[in-house]
Amino acid sequence: MQVNTAQPNALLDTAIQLVGERTGLDLTAIEPGPGADLLIRLNKAPTPTAYRVEIKRYLNKQTVALLAARLAEDPTPTMLVTDYVNPQQADRLRRRNIPFIDTAGNTYVNEPPIYVFATGNKPDILPTAKPRVRLFQPTGLKLIFALLNQPGLEQKPYRQQAEVAGIALGGVAWIMGDLRDGGYLIEPTPKTRRLINKRALTDLWVENYPARLREKLILGRYTTTHDRWWQDTDIAAHRAYWGGEIAADRLTHYLKPQDVTLYADKVPATLLLENRLQKVPDGNVEIVKQFWHFDYPEKALQIVPPLLVYADLIATGDARNAELARMVYDEHVARHIRED
DNA sequence: AGCTAAGAACCATGTGACCC
DNA sequence: GGGTCACATGGTTCTTAGCT
């Protein structure tokens, strides 16, 4: 069946119809009114069940992970509606108990006593015309980080931006285009480009950084029997900077650091030797590759830029770090991203 | 049915030529 | 000097088929 994927409702209607035909599941779309979330009702359930509709095109692993994270915070019953869920993705969704329907007739609904899991149906036309959004790919994350930390950088030539962000020139135009499309950049003239919605952009950066960039930059995890070795270490002498809890401690003095994160261009061999750091898969000392190439005031404290400290604290998902993250944000990040 | 491996298909990115 | 684009490359993801 040809799907008019330009229309969200067409996608929803097609999915409801096809899933109904293939599995007998009786669903109805409900439009509650302007401004309210679209709902989908599961008919014939013992108690009427309504799901908030989450329409996502071109599903991938990250989309599923982000949706799962969101639902962990806000458990409003939500049904994913998409063009095609392949068998692997279907399994991921089922394991996370996220109900879905797609336009190929695949579905997962677990609303006892109703249980339907249908997978393996192929769409007639595979959704391959994915619009490439590079904003939150590694390259995009590097450039956005540079832009958020260096106010006014967006007005500089692409070549300079590429250099500061440590990315290829060719990538800058793509990312600037995505920023414009996403409503994060206005450009009356090239010389007056201006970043807007910085708060929202920062939130998205923090959300995407751990899985999409940080994960790829981990140089190794280490452990040592030396206690509080980091306290008197002149880390800058090893061409490295503290991140995470130690950096947060230096900014706020509110924490007894347990885990150690440090950023460096390459693994500092002498530091490992001096402190008997041994490489182990789950060590509490993590060395991450430095990915930015600009100066910032907090460098004097031998720490990474505060936005990165904040992101690392959030990434731990540790309740102990949540309040500290908020302090770092309020006192050291917020002023960088105020709208001017 | 579930697992695994191999190959295909797709995607992100850097490079450098070209144009304004 | 500055921006755009085609292309090559390397990596990731998906599909398929064979095996248990």
Side-chain angles (χ1 to χ4, degrees):
Chain A
M1 179 180 288
Q2 180 84 44
V3 181
N4 179 3
T5 47
Q7 292 291 326
N9 286 0
L11 190 147
L12 177 62
D13 293 343
T14 310
I16 287 177
Q17 189 195 333
L18 253 157
V19 165
E21 282 170 17
R22 301 228 164 140
T23 68
L25 207 58
D26 187 2
L27 300 165
T28 313
I30 308 164
E31 287 192 61
D37 286 335
L38 205 60
L39 297 175
I40 202 164
R41 192 178 61 220
L42 174 61
N43 302 316
K44 294 182 185 159
T47 47
T49 308
Y51 299 88
R52 186 173 60 192
V53 172
E54 185 77 33
I55 296 179
K56 295 273 181 202
R57 293 176 201 289
Y58 321 112
L59 206 62
N60 59 26
K61 224 168 69 177
Q62 282 81 18
T63 326
V64 175
L66 284 172
L67 184 60
R70 269 231 333 266
L71 292 178
E73 272 180 32
D74 171 16
T76 309
T78 300
M79 182 175 287
L80 172 68
V81 180
T82 184
D83 30 27
Y84 173 52
V85 178
N86 67 37
Q88 264 183 11
Q89 289 165 337
D91 208 48
R92 264 181 218 133
L93 289 162
R94 183 173 56 89
R95 283 202 305 268
R96 294 172 191 247
N97 202 29
I98 300 173
F100 70 83
I101 56 174
D102 75 4
T103 60
N106 301 303
T107 183
Y108 167 68
V109 172
N110 184 8
E111 196 62 47
I114 296 175
Y115 180 90
V116 183
F117 182 47
T119 177
N121 293 311
K122 293 270 173 65
D124 290 346
I125 301 166
L126 279 168
T128 52
K130 178 178 180 173
R132 295 180 176 192
V133 176
R134 303 183 181 206
L135 224 42
F136 300 110
Q137 298 304 330
T139 311
L141 289 167
K142 285 181 191 172
L143 179 60
I144 293 170
F145 185 69
L147 291 170
L148 288 171
N149 278 282
Q150 303 278 291
L153 179 64
E154 66 269 24
Q155 290 169 16
K156 297 288 193 305
Y158 284 6
R159 279 175 172 76
Q160 194 175 334
Q161 293 183 35
E163 194 180 329
V164 171
I167 65 171
L169 172 63
V172 179
W174 274 103
I175 295 152
M176 294 307 260
D178 284 351
L179 283 170
R180 251 190 313 271
D181 294 347
Y184 301 111
L185 185 80
I186 48 173
E187 190 172 22
T189 69
K191 289 271 164 64
T192 56
R193 277 189 292 254
R194 196 156 62 84
L195 220 51
I196 56 172
N197 285 330
K198 288 190 200 173
R199 175 68 205 258
L201 187 61
T202 304
D203 289 349
L204 278 170
W205 188 87
V206 172
E207 192 179 319
N208 284 279
Y209 167 70
R212 304 233 182 153
L213 179 57
R214 191 183 200 283
E215 198 58 36
K216 293 185 165 67
L217 297 176
I218 295 173
L219 297 173
R221 292 194 172 88
Y222 300 80
T223 188
T224 179
T225 49
H226 286 202
D227 195 32
R228 300 178 79 79
W229 59 276
W230 42 267
Q231 224 161 18
D232 305 315
T233 300
D234 177 13
I235 199 74
H238 298 277
R239 305 171 71 85
Y241 301 93
W242 301 117
E245 295 182 11
I246 294 183
D249 182 56
R250 299 221 166 165
L251 285 172
T252 66
H253 311 291
Y254 258 83
L255 180 86
K256 299 275 170 279
Q258 290 179 0
D259 296 328
V260 177
T261 305
L262 56 93
Y263 283 79
D265 196 45
K266 58 181 197 297
V267 176
T270 50
L271 180 79
L272 301 190
L273 276 174
E274 286 170 12
N275 298 286
R276 299 199 181 171
L277 286 157
Q278 291 184 322
K279 193 162 187 173
V280 291
D282 56 348
N284 74 327
V285 180
E286 193 171 46
I287 304 181
V288 186
K289 185 163 171 58
Q290 182 181 348
F291 62 92
W292 64 95
H293 304 84
F294 52 79
D295 281 332
Y296 49 96
E298 295 80 3
K299 197 173 173 179
L301 299 170
Q302 306 198 337
I303 65 172
V304 304
L307 173 56
L308 188 52
V309 179
Y310 172 65
D312 274 350
L313 291 175
I314 293 286
T316 63
D318 191 333
R320 193 172 64 102
N321 284 340
E323 170 68 0
L324 189 71
R326 196 190 56 74
M327 285 170 60
V328 170
Y329 185 89
D330 288 348
E331 289 168 29
H332 301 278
V333 179
R335 67 194 147 87
H336 283 295
I337 60 170
R338 65 166 191 272
E339 310 291 337
D340 36 36

